[in-house]
């Protein structure tokens, strides 16, 4: 009974968060895109396909509404990360948050245009929005790569130090045979991935999302199926990090 109560509490907590609802609606949006692509050649599903496209559009508009004003949150977050001691993290995280803020400002303009509040060149602002999103994702991936390389390097050094300590007898220069074999590169990589899941999940999420603005800008051409699949994957990771904050990469 207690487990059911805890689950219900967690669901309520998740639903109360704007970020949680945004990730859930994003999952529905890209899920609709994937199913639409899969059924596009089925003439008997035309009515259902039309409903899916309407659902995808509705989820996109709802997410724009939920994100309204969030650009200020990213600016405030950037003002905090600018004080990070690590220069690489300070640059990549701060610039990424500023790029996300500008991305959302352009997104607000598109949202206001869709509602008929203002008249704007939707194609132009969509292009600017995608460029800012792409820039933010590239910075995120640079940060992820830096984190992963640092983690692997530190683990390799730790393994080397443990091996060296095991080889010396009472601080002397004579060597003894150790019972534990040194870990190989693949083993070290697996260990680092298992012990640093937030970094790995964030890397996968950013890599999945990278295809979406590249496709919007015409840099690559991928099918709706690939867009839907990658959008689903990154959305699922986003939901997991909201559901379990321990999986969220910080700062």
């Amino acid at each position: 009974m207690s487990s059911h109560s805890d689950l219900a509490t967690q669901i309520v907590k998740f639903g109360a968060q704007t970020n949680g609802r945004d990730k859930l609606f994003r999952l529905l949006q890209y899920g609709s895109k994937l199913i639409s692509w899969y059924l596009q050649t089925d003439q008997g599903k035309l009515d259902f396909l039309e409903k899916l496209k309407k659902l995808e559009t509705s989820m996109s508009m709802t997410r724009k509404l939920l994100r309204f004003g969030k650009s200020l949150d990213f600016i405030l977050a950037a003002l905090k990360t600018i004080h990070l001691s690590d220069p690489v993290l300070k640059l990549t995280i701060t610039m990424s948050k500023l790029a996300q803020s500008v991305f959302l400002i352009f997104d607000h303009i598109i949202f206001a245009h869709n509602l008929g509040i203002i008249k704007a060149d939707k194609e132009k602002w969509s292009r600017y929005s995608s460029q800012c999103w792409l820039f933010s994702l590239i910075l995120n991936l640079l940060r992820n790569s830096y984190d992963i390389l640092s983690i692997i390097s530190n683990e390799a050094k730790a393994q080397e130090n443990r091996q060296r300590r095991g080889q010396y007898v009472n601080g002397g220069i004579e060597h003894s045979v150790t019972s534990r074999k040194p870990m190989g590169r693949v083993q070290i990589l697996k260990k680092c991935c298992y012990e640093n899941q937030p970094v790995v999940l964030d890397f996968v999420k950013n890599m999945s999302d990278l295809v979406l603005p590249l496709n919007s800008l015409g840099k690559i051409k991928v099918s709706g199926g690939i867009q839907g699949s990658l959008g689903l994957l990154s959305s699922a990771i986003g939901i997991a990090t909201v559901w379990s904050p321990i999986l969220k990469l910080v700062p």
Side-chain angles (χ1 to χ4, degrees), residues 108-121:
H108 298 340
I109 294 174
I110 297 169
F111 177 67
H113 169 80
N114 289 338
L115 290 180
I117 299 174
I118 62 172
K119 285 195 173 184
D121 187 338

Side-chain angles (χ1 to χ4, degrees), residues 19-229:
N19 199 30
R21 294 195 298 273
D22 175 61
K23 295 295 186 293
L24 180 59
F25 293 151
R26 190 178 192 267
L27 188 78
L28 292 173
Q29 177 187 344
Y30 283 102
S32 299
K33 180 183 282 290
L34 177 60
I35 297 172
S36 296
W37 171 82
Y38 182 74
L39 298 176
Q40 63 184 340
T41 56
D42 191 338
Q43 296 299 317
K45 301 287 186 180
L46 293 179
D47 289 341
F48 182 59
L49 282 171
E50 187 65 28
K51 291 178 181 178
L52 282 175
K53 289 179 180 178
K54 288 181 179 179
L55 176 62
E56 181 184 345
T57 302
S58 297
M59 291 298 98
S60 177
M61 287 292 292
T62 303
R63 291 182 59 230
K64 289 181 188 299
L65 177 61
L66 288 174
R67 295 197 302 253
F68 202 81
K70 197 176 178 181
S71 54
L72 180 61
D73 292 341
F74 282 112
I75 292 176
L76 295 175
L79 292 176
K80 294 179 181 178
T81 57
I82 200 171
H83 298 295
L84 292 173
S85 57
D86 190 304
V88 176
L89 294 180
K90 177 168 67 174
L91 177 64
T92 54
I93 298 175
T94 303
M95 291 299 295
S96 173
K97 292 192 179 300
L98 290 175
Q100 286 176 291
S101 177
V102 177
F103 154 71
L104 286 174
I105 290 173
F106 294 155
D107 200 54
H108 298 340
I109 294 174
I110 297 169
F111 177 67
H113 169 80
N114 289 338
L115 290 180
I117 299 174
I118 62 172
K119 285 195 173 184
D121 187 338
K122 184 177 179 179
E123 185 177 338
K124 180 183 74 173
W125 291 111
S126 295
R127 186 171 66 253
Y128 289 163
S129 178
S130 295
Q131 288 172 344
C132 289
W133 186 17
L134 177 61
F135 183 53
S136 173
L137 289 172
I138 290 173
L139 288 166
N140 288 343
L141 286 168
L142 287 174
R143 181 262 175 98
N144 293 150
S145 300
Y146 174 74
D147 282 340
I148 291 170
L149 289 174
S150 298
I151 290 167
I152 292 175
S153 176
N154 290 336
E155 180 61 32
K157 288 178 182 177
Q159 291 288 335
E160 184 180 340
N161 289 335
R162 281 194 288 269
Q163 189 68 18
R164 187 180 294 116
R165 285 197 301 268
Q167 287 177 339
Y168 286 97
V169 180
N170 297 324
I173 59 173
E174 293 182 2
H175 296 276
S176 65
V177 179
T178 58
S179 59
R180 180 183 296 180
K181 290 180 61 178
M183 294 177 68
R185 292 180 180 179
V186 175
Q187 289 176 303
I188 290 176
L189 179 60
K190 288 181 179 179
K191 183 175 186 293
C192 290
C193 289
Y194 179 76
E195 295 179 351
N196 298 274
Q197 294 178 27
V199 178
V200 177
L201 288 174
D202 198 63
F203 176 75
V204 174
K205 179 173 70 68
N206 289 322
M207 281 298 295
S208 300
D209 280 339
L210 187 66
V211 172
L212 303 175
L214 285 173
N215 183 75
S216 297
L217 292 169
K219 303 299 182 182
I220 60 174
K221 188 67 177 176
V222 296
S223 68
I226 293 177
Q227 293 178 57
S229 299

